Amino acid sequence: MIVLGIESSCDETAAAVVADGRSVLSTVIYSQGALHQPYGGVVPEIASRSHLEKIAGVISTAMLQAFGSGTETQVAPAWWEQVDAIAVTYGPGLASSLIVGLSAAKGLALRTGKPLIGINHIEAHIHSVFLSPEAPAPAMLYPYVALVVSGGHSSLIEVTAPRKCRVIGQTLDDAAGEAFDKAARLLELGYPGGPVIDKIARGAGCCSTIDFPKGSPRAGNPILGGLNPELCVSFSGLKTALMYYVRKNPPRDQAEVAAVVSSYQEAIVDALAQRCATALAPGRYKALAVGGGVSLNSRLRERLTAVAAEAGVPILLAQPRFCGDNAAMIAGLAGAGGGVTGAAAMELDVVPSLVAGSV
Ligand code: KG4
Ligand code: ZN
Protein backbone atom coordinates (compact mmCIF):
# COMPACT_ATOMS: atom_id res chain seq x y z
CA MET A 1 0.00 0.00 0.00
CA ILE A 2 1.47 3.37 -1.07
CA VAL A 3 0.28 6.41 0.88
CA LEU A 4 0.80 10.12 0.34
CA GLY A 5 0.95 11.76 3.78
CA ILE A 6 0.35 15.42 4.58
CA GLU A 7 1.23 17.20 7.85
CA SER A 8 0.59 20.82 8.87
CA SER A 9 -0.28 20.70 12.58
CA CYS A 10 2.21 23.30 13.81
CA ASP A 11 5.05 25.09 12.01
CA GLU A 12 6.26 22.45 9.56
CA THR A 13 4.59 21.96 6.17
CA ALA A 14 5.35 18.38 5.18
CA ALA A 15 4.45 15.72 2.63
CA ALA A 16 5.82 12.21 2.13
CA VAL A 17 5.19 9.03 0.18
CA VAL A 18 5.56 5.78 2.14
CA ALA A 19 5.10 2.17 1.02
CA ASP A 20 3.72 -0.54 3.32
CA GLY A 21 3.86 1.60 6.42
CA ARG A 22 7.65 1.76 6.59
CA SER A 23 9.56 2.27 3.32
CA VAL A 24 9.94 6.00 2.87
CA LEU A 25 9.95 6.80 -0.88
CA SER A 26 10.14 10.55 -0.26
CA THR A 27 9.87 12.99 2.61
CA VAL A 28 9.76 16.76 2.24
CA ILE A 29 9.64 19.24 5.13
CA TYR A 30 9.40 23.00 4.86
CA SER A 31 10.22 24.38 8.30
CA GLN A 32 8.91 27.80 9.26
CA GLY A 33 11.44 28.14 12.10
CA ALA A 34 13.00 31.30 10.65
CA LEU A 35 9.58 33.01 10.37
CA HIS A 36 8.83 32.47 14.07
CA GLN A 37 12.37 33.04 15.35
CA PRO A 38 11.90 36.79 16.05
CA TYR A 39 8.93 35.98 18.32
CA GLY A 40 10.57 33.14 20.30
CA GLY A 41 7.61 30.83 19.60
CA VAL A 42 5.06 29.86 16.95
CA VAL A 43 2.70 32.66 15.88
CA PRO A 44 -0.50 30.92 14.66
CA GLU A 45 -1.45 33.54 12.03
CA ILE A 46 2.02 33.45 10.48
CA ALA A 47 2.01 29.63 10.56
CA SER A 48 -1.31 29.18 8.76
CA ARG A 49 -0.48 31.73 6.07
CA SER A 50 2.86 30.07 5.42
CA HIS A 51 1.24 26.60 5.23
CA LEU A 52 -1.14 27.99 2.58
CA GLU A 53 1.73 29.37 0.54
CA LYS A 54 3.90 26.26 0.72
CA ILE A 55 1.63 23.23 0.84
CA ALA A 56 1.05 22.75 -2.91
CA GLY A 57 4.78 22.95 -3.67
CA VAL A 58 5.69 20.61 -0.79
CA ILE A 59 3.17 17.97 -1.96
CA SER A 60 4.36 18.23 -5.60
CA THR A 61 7.98 17.88 -4.52
CA ALA A 62 7.17 14.75 -2.47
CA MET A 63 5.40 13.22 -5.50
CA LEU A 64 8.29 14.18 -7.85
CA GLN A 65 10.87 12.69 -5.50
CA ALA A 66 8.90 9.47 -5.03
CA PHE A 67 7.94 8.77 -8.64
CA GLY A 68 9.99 11.04 -10.93
CA SER A 69 13.30 10.22 -12.54
CA GLY A 70 14.83 13.50 -11.44
CA THR A 71 14.23 15.55 -14.57
CA GLU A 72 10.50 16.22 -14.24
CA THR A 73 9.26 19.55 -12.96
CA GLN A 74 5.57 18.65 -12.77
CA VAL A 75 3.63 15.78 -11.22
CA ALA A 76 2.55 13.38 -13.98
CA PRO A 77 -1.18 12.53 -13.69
CA ALA A 78 -0.29 8.81 -14.06
CA TRP A 79 1.71 8.87 -10.81
CA TRP A 80 -1.51 9.24 -8.88
CA GLU A 81 -2.41 5.71 -10.04
CA GLN A 82 0.41 4.39 -7.86
CA VAL A 83 -0.96 6.11 -4.75
CA ASP A 84 -3.48 4.00 -2.82
CA ALA A 85 -4.58 6.59 -0.23
CA ILE A 86 -4.04 10.12 1.05
CA ALA A 87 -3.38 10.47 4.79
CA VAL A 88 -3.49 13.69 6.76
CA THR A 89 -3.10 14.91 10.35
CA TYR A 90 -6.43 16.12 11.76
CA GLY A 91 -5.24 16.76 15.34
CA PRO A 92 -3.87 17.65 17.77
CA GLY A 93 -2.28 20.97 16.83
CA LEU A 94 -3.12 24.55 15.94
CA ALA A 95 -6.60 24.70 14.39
CA SER A 96 -5.62 27.31 11.81
CA SER A 97 -2.61 25.20 10.74
CA LEU A 98 -4.40 21.83 10.76
CA ILE A 99 -7.17 23.15 8.52
CA VAL A 100 -4.73 23.90 5.70
CA GLY A 101 -3.46 20.30 5.46
CA LEU A 102 -6.89 18.77 5.97
CA SER A 103 -8.45 20.94 3.26
CA ALA A 104 -5.62 20.17 0.84
CA ALA A 105 -5.94 16.43 1.50
CA LYS A 106 -9.72 16.45 1.10
CA GLY A 107 -9.41 18.38 -2.15
CA LEU A 108 -6.84 15.93 -3.51
CA ALA A 109 -8.92 12.93 -2.41
CA LEU A 110 -11.98 14.29 -4.20
CA ARG A 111 -10.00 15.16 -7.30
CA THR A 112 -8.14 11.83 -7.56
CA GLY A 113 -10.83 9.53 -6.15
CA LYS A 114 -8.32 8.14 -3.59
CA PRO A 115 -9.51 7.26 -0.07
CA LEU A 116 -8.71 9.75 2.69
CA ILE A 117 -7.26 8.61 6.04
CA GLY A 118 -7.33 10.93 9.08
CA ILE A 119 -4.32 10.55 11.38
CA ASN A 120 -3.70 11.40 15.04
CA HIS A 121 -0.37 13.30 15.14
CA ILE A 122 0.74 11.84 18.50
CA GLU A 123 0.08 8.26 17.40
CA ALA A 124 2.08 9.07 14.25
CA HIS A 125 5.05 10.21 16.40
CA ILE A 126 4.95 6.75 18.01
CA HIS A 127 4.92 5.12 14.56
CA SER A 128 8.01 7.15 13.58
CA VAL A 129 10.22 4.60 15.39
CA PHE A 130 9.15 1.95 12.85
CA LEU A 131 10.20 3.99 9.79
CA SER A 132 13.42 2.13 9.45
CA PRO A 133 14.21 -1.17 7.76
CA GLU A 134 16.02 -2.36 10.91
CA ALA A 135 13.14 -1.65 13.29
CA PRO A 136 11.32 -4.76 14.54
CA ALA A 137 7.70 -5.28 13.50
CA PRO A 138 5.33 -3.65 16.02
CA ALA A 139 3.54 -6.99 16.41
CA MET A 140 6.59 -8.39 18.25
CA LEU A 141 6.54 -5.63 20.87
CA TYR A 142 3.03 -5.43 22.35
CA PRO A 143 2.49 -4.25 24.98
CA TYR A 144 5.05 -1.44 24.86
CA VAL A 145 5.26 2.06 26.28
CA ALA A 146 5.97 5.15 24.21
CA LEU A 147 7.29 8.53 25.29
CA VAL A 148 6.27 11.34 22.91
CA VAL A 149 8.08 14.58 23.71
CA SER A 150 7.79 17.64 21.51
CA GLY A 151 7.07 21.36 21.56
CA GLY A 152 3.39 20.68 22.17
CA HIS A 153 3.28 17.35 23.99
CA SER A 154 4.90 15.26 26.68
CA SER A 155 3.00 12.00 27.03
CA LEU A 156 3.60 8.45 28.12
CA ILE A 157 1.40 6.14 26.11
CA GLU A 158 0.73 2.45 26.54
CA VAL A 159 0.33 0.58 23.24
CA THR A 160 -1.27 -2.82 23.64
CA ALA A 161 -2.30 -3.80 20.10
CA PRO A 162 -2.57 -2.28 16.62
CA ARG A 163 -4.72 0.87 16.90
CA LYS A 164 -5.02 0.38 20.65
CA CYS A 165 -3.28 2.88 22.88
CA ARG A 166 -3.95 4.85 26.06
CA VAL A 167 -2.32 7.83 27.72
CA ILE A 168 -0.88 6.74 31.10
CA GLY A 169 1.07 9.91 31.89
CA GLN A 170 1.41 13.46 30.64
CA THR A 171 2.55 16.96 31.48
CA LEU A 172 0.17 18.97 33.61
CA ASP A 173 1.31 22.25 32.04
CA ASP A 174 4.22 22.95 29.67
CA ALA A 175 5.52 20.34 27.23
CA ALA A 176 9.21 19.43 27.46
CA GLY A 177 10.02 21.25 24.20
CA GLU A 178 8.17 24.32 25.45
CA ALA A 179 10.31 24.24 28.60
CA PHE A 180 13.44 24.22 26.42
CA ASP A 181 12.10 26.99 24.16
CA LYS A 182 11.04 29.25 27.05
CA ALA A 183 14.42 28.90 28.77
CA ALA A 184 16.22 29.78 25.54
CA ARG A 185 14.00 32.83 25.14
CA LEU A 186 14.71 33.95 28.70
CA LEU A 187 18.46 33.53 28.17
CA GLU A 188 18.25 35.05 24.66
CA LEU A 189 19.72 31.97 23.00
CA GLY A 190 17.37 31.85 19.99
CA TYR A 191 14.46 29.69 18.79
CA PRO A 192 13.91 26.75 18.80
CA GLY A 193 15.64 26.46 22.15
CA GLY A 194 16.08 22.67 22.41
CA PRO A 195 18.88 22.23 19.88
CA VAL A 196 20.82 25.28 21.19
CA ILE A 197 20.57 24.17 24.82
CA ASP A 198 21.51 20.59 23.85
CA LYS A 199 24.62 21.89 22.06
CA ILE A 200 25.73 24.22 24.86
CA ALA A 201 25.10 21.52 27.49
CA ARG A 202 27.12 18.97 25.47
CA GLY A 203 30.03 21.39 25.38
CA ALA A 204 29.73 22.01 29.14
CA GLY A 205 30.26 18.37 30.11
CA CYS A 206 27.95 16.56 32.45
CA CYS A 207 25.50 17.61 33.97
CA SER A 208 23.96 19.47 36.88
CA THR A 209 25.60 22.04 39.13
CA ILE A 210 22.47 24.05 39.98
CA ASP A 211 19.59 22.39 41.75
CA PHE A 212 16.42 23.02 39.72
CA PRO A 213 13.06 21.41 40.65
CA LYS A 214 12.58 17.99 39.08
CA GLY A 215 9.14 18.50 37.58
CA SER A 216 7.12 16.24 39.89
CA PRO A 217 3.40 17.04 40.12
CA ARG A 218 1.72 16.86 43.51
CA ALA A 219 -0.60 13.92 44.15
CA GLY A 220 -4.18 15.16 44.44
CA ASN A 221 -3.74 17.85 41.77
CA PRO A 222 -7.15 17.87 40.03
CA ILE A 223 -5.50 18.32 36.61
CA LEU A 224 -4.14 14.77 36.94
CA GLY A 225 -7.62 13.55 36.03
CA GLY A 226 -7.05 10.10 37.51
CA LEU A 227 -3.55 9.61 36.04
CA ASN A 228 -0.77 8.29 38.28
CA PRO A 229 1.27 11.36 39.40
CA GLU A 230 4.43 9.24 39.25
CA LEU A 231 3.96 8.96 35.48
CA CYS A 232 3.20 12.67 34.98
CA VAL A 233 5.43 15.74 34.84
CA SER A 234 5.03 19.45 35.47
CA PHE A 235 7.52 21.90 33.99
CA SER A 236 6.00 25.29 34.82
CA GLY A 237 7.72 25.42 38.26
CA LEU A 238 11.05 24.66 36.62
CA LYS A 239 10.63 27.58 34.23
CA THR A 240 9.78 29.91 37.15
CA ALA A 241 12.76 28.61 39.14
CA LEU A 242 15.01 29.42 36.18
CA MET A 243 13.57 32.93 35.95
CA TYR A 244 14.26 33.62 39.64
CA TYR A 245 17.71 32.04 39.47
CA VAL A 246 18.76 34.15 36.48
CA ARG A 247 17.30 37.31 38.02
CA LYS A 248 19.41 36.72 41.15
CA ASN A 249 22.51 35.37 39.39
CA PRO A 250 22.68 36.84 35.88
CA PRO A 251 25.23 34.70 33.99
CA ARG A 252 28.40 36.74 33.49
CA ASP A 253 30.05 34.66 30.80
CA GLN A 254 29.59 31.66 28.48
CA ALA A 255 30.68 29.22 31.18
CA GLU A 256 27.97 30.45 33.54
CA VAL A 257 25.33 30.25 30.77
CA ALA A 258 26.51 26.68 30.10
CA ALA A 259 26.20 25.75 33.79
CA VAL A 260 22.66 27.12 33.92
CA VAL A 261 21.42 25.43 30.73
CA SER A 262 23.06 22.06 31.41
CA SER A 263 21.51 21.97 34.90
CA TYR A 264 18.13 23.03 33.49
CA GLN A 265 18.34 20.37 30.74
CA GLU A 266 19.29 17.77 33.34
CA ALA A 267 16.16 18.60 35.37
CA ILE A 268 13.94 17.99 32.31
CA VAL A 269 15.79 14.85 31.25
CA ASP A 270 15.77 13.51 34.79
CA ALA A 271 12.00 13.97 35.09
CA LEU A 272 11.36 12.17 31.78
CA ALA A 273 13.84 9.36 32.48
CA GLN A 274 12.34 8.76 35.93
CA ARG A 275 8.80 8.52 34.51
CA CYS A 276 9.94 5.98 31.91
CA ALA A 277 11.77 3.98 34.59
CA THR A 278 8.62 3.96 36.75
CA ALA A 279 6.48 2.81 33.82
CA LEU A 280 8.90 0.01 32.97
CA ALA A 281 9.55 -1.13 36.57
CA PRO A 282 6.65 -3.63 36.95
CA GLY A 283 7.95 -5.56 33.90
CA ARG A 284 4.68 -5.29 31.99
CA TYR A 285 6.07 -3.64 28.85
CA LYS A 286 8.26 -5.28 26.25
CA ALA A 287 9.89 -2.13 24.82
CA LEU A 288 10.32 1.62 25.18
CA ALA A 289 9.61 3.70 22.04
CA VAL A 290 10.59 7.38 21.94
CA GLY A 291 9.54 10.02 19.41
CA GLY A 292 8.97 13.76 18.98
CA GLY A 293 11.35 16.69 18.48
CA VAL A 294 12.76 16.56 22.04
CA SER A 295 13.79 12.92 21.47
CA LEU A 296 16.65 14.43 19.43
CA ASN A 297 18.18 15.58 22.70
CA SER A 298 21.49 13.78 23.12
CA ARG A 299 21.38 13.63 26.93
CA LEU A 300 17.78 12.33 26.88
CA ARG A 301 18.77 9.61 24.39
CA GLU A 302 21.67 8.61 26.62
CA ARG A 303 19.58 8.51 29.79
CA LEU A 304 16.64 6.65 28.21
CA THR A 305 18.98 4.09 26.68
CA ALA A 306 20.28 3.41 30.21
CA VAL A 307 16.73 3.25 31.62
CA ALA A 308 15.67 0.68 29.01
CA ALA A 309 18.83 -1.39 29.57
CA GLU A 310 18.20 -1.36 33.31
CA ALA A 311 14.65 -2.62 32.69
CA GLY A 312 15.95 -5.25 30.27
CA VAL A 313 13.87 -4.05 27.29
CA PRO A 314 14.88 -2.71 23.87
CA ILE A 315 14.66 1.00 23.19
CA LEU A 316 13.31 2.18 19.83
CA LEU A 317 14.41 5.70 18.94
CA ALA A 318 13.14 7.41 15.82
CA GLN A 319 15.81 8.24 13.24
CA PRO A 320 16.77 11.92 13.70
CA ARG A 321 15.01 12.95 10.46
CA PHE A 322 11.74 11.47 11.77
CA CYS A 323 11.90 12.89 15.33
CA GLY A 324 10.52 16.34 14.54
CA ASP A 325 7.27 16.89 12.70
CA ASN A 326 7.25 15.12 9.34
CA ALA A 327 4.73 13.51 7.01
CA ALA A 328 6.46 10.12 6.65
CA MET A 329 5.11 9.19 10.09
CA ILE A 330 1.61 10.22 8.94
CA ALA A 331 1.75 8.17 5.73
CA GLY A 332 3.49 5.35 7.63
CA LEU A 333 0.82 5.00 10.30
CA ALA A 334 -1.91 5.07 7.64
CA GLY A 335 -0.09 2.38 5.64
CA ALA A 336 0.16 0.26 8.78
CA GLY A 337 -3.61 0.33 9.20
CA GLY A 338 -4.04 3.28 11.58
CA GLY A 339 -6.35 6.27 11.40
CA VAL A 340 -9.93 7.15 10.56
CA THR A 341 -10.96 5.60 7.25
CA GLY A 342 -14.00 5.25 5.01
CA ALA A 343 -16.80 7.79 4.78
CA ALA A 344 -15.98 9.04 8.31
CA ALA A 345 -12.66 10.41 7.07
CA MET A 346 -14.27 12.84 4.63
CA GLU A 347 -16.52 14.03 7.47
CA LEU A 348 -13.56 14.84 9.73
CA ASP A 349 -12.97 18.33 11.02
CA VAL A 350 -9.76 19.39 12.73
CA VAL A 351 -9.54 18.41 16.42
CA PRO A 352 -6.93 20.69 18.07
CA SER A 353 -6.92 18.80 21.37
CA LEU A 354 -7.16 15.25 20.02
CA VAL A 355 -5.81 12.70 22.54
CA ALA A 356 -3.84 9.56 21.67
CA GLY A 357 -6.09 6.50 21.63
CA SER A 358 -9.31 8.48 21.40
CA VAL A 359 -10.55 6.77 18.22
O1 KG4 B 1 8.12 17.41 17.23
P1 KG4 B 1 8.50 18.83 16.94
O2 KG4 B 1 9.32 19.13 15.72
O3 KG4 B 1 7.23 19.74 16.85
C1 KG4 B 1 6.15 19.68 17.69
O4 KG4 B 1 5.24 18.83 17.46
O5 KG4 B 1 6.18 20.47 18.67
O6 KG4 B 1 9.26 19.37 18.26
C2 KG4 B 1 9.78 20.66 18.34
C3 KG4 B 1 10.39 20.83 19.71
C4 KG4 B 1 10.87 22.25 20.00
O7 KG4 B 1 10.35 22.66 21.25
C5 KG4 B 1 12.39 22.10 20.06
O8 KG4 B 1 13.01 23.02 20.94
C6 KG4 B 1 12.55 20.68 20.53
O9 KG4 B 1 11.53 19.96 19.86
N1 KG4 B 1 13.86 20.12 20.18
C7 KG4 B 1 14.77 19.73 21.11
C8 KG4 B 1 15.91 19.32 20.40
N2 KG4 B 1 15.65 19.44 19.06
C9 KG4 B 1 14.38 19.93 18.95
N3 KG4 B 1 14.70 19.74 22.45
C10 KG4 B 1 15.79 19.31 23.12
N4 KG4 B 1 16.93 18.92 22.51
C11 KG4 B 1 17.04 18.89 21.17
N5 KG4 B 1 18.17 18.49 20.59
ZN1 ZN C 1 4.81 16.75 16.66
Side-chain angles (χ1 to χ4, degrees):
M1 176 159 168
I2 295 189
V3 179
L4 166 69
I6 298 172
E7 154 66 36
S8 72
S9 65
C10 189
D11 62 341
E12 263 90 27
T13 319
V17 180
V18 175
D20 301 324
R22 33 198 318 163
S23 304
V24 181
L25 306 185
S26 70
T27 175
V28 178
I29 304 170
Y30 170 75
S31 175
Q32 304 173 359
L35 299 180
H36 302 290
Q37 159 104 42
Y39 307 95
V42 177
V43 182
E45 291 83 356
I46 295 176
S48 59
R49 191 182 320 155
S50 174
H51 283 307
L52 263 177
E53 284 168 6
K54 298 291 178 191
I55 199 152
V58 166
I59 294 171
S60 302
T61 309
M63 289 291 285
L64 284 165
Q65 288 183 2
F67 302 116
S69 61
T71 51
E72 295 86 350
T73 53
Q74 282 200 326
V75 175
W79 294 348
W80 284 108
E81 284 163 26
Q82 299 183 56
V83 173
D84 298 299
I86 297 168
V88 64
T89 307
Y90 71 101
L94 296 168
S96 51
S97 285
L98 288 162
I99 195 83
V100 178
L102 185 61
S103 307
K106 281 187 179 175
L108 276 173
L110 283 172
R111 172 84 201 272
T112 59
K114 302 292 171 186
L116 183 73
I117 303 175
I119 293 291
N120 179 317
H121 179 89
I122 304 292
E123 293 174 18
H125 269 302
I126 301 175
H127 187 80
S128 67
V129 304
F130 299 110
L131 293 175
S132 151
E134 301 90 54
M140 294 164 61
L141 301 174
Y142 300 123
Y144 64 90
V145 67
L147 174 71
V148 177
V149 269
S150 72
H153 319 279
S154 295
S155 308
L156 259 185
I157 298 157
E158 164 189 273
V159 188
T160 46
R163 295 180 295 285
K164 204 152 180 257
C165 63
R166 179 174 74 97
V167 175
I168 56 169
Q170 64 185 17
T171 176
L172 301 197
D173 35 62
D174 293 350
E178 217 175 336
F180 277 107
D181 295 340
K182 286 179 175 169
R185 186 160 48 182
L186 185 77
L187 296 163
E188 296 177 0
L189 299 173
Y191 172 83
V196 191
I197 290 178
D198 189 2
K199 195 166 163 216
I200 298 176
R202 250 195 333 257
C206 206
C207 298
S208 180
T209 47
I210 303 159
D211 202 17
F212 285 120
K214 294 286 184 272
S216 309
R218 292 218 174 93
N221 185 329
I223 310 175
L224 283 166
L227 291 172
N228 177 355
E230 288 180 14
L231 297 177
C232 293
V233 287
S234 160
F235 291 125
S236 64
L238 173 63
K239 183 188 63 191
T240 312
L242 173 71
M243 199 176 74
Y244 283 122
Y245 181 87
V246 170
R247 205 177 277 171
K248 216 168 143 202
N249 315 280
R252 287 164 300 188
D253 53 26
Q254 299 279 39
E256 288 190 6
V257 170
V260 172
V261 300
S262 63
S263 305
Y264 184 85
Q265 170 177 283
E266 200 60 18
I268 298 175
V269 167
D270 225 38
L272 297 171
Q274 269 180 24
R275 301 314 176 269
C276 290
T278 303
L280 291 170
R284 193 169 125 60
Y285 301 116
K286 288 203 243 169
L288 171 65
V290 191
V294 179
S295 72
L296 280 169
N297 186 270
S298 47
R299 180 71 182 143
L300 182 65
R301 287 185 165 233
E302 194 176 289
R303 289 285 306 276
L304 292 180
T305 302
V307 162
E310 177 92 352
V313 298
I315 182 165
L316 286 90
L317 291 157
Q319 285 181 50
R321 66 188 178 131
F322 300 131
C323 284
D325 286 349
N326 67 88
M329 65 185 193
I330 307 301
L333 180 56
V340 179
T341 56
M346 281 310 261
E347 300 293 315
L348 282 175
D349 197 353
V350 299
V351 184
S353 52
L354 187 65
V355 173
S358 56
V359 182

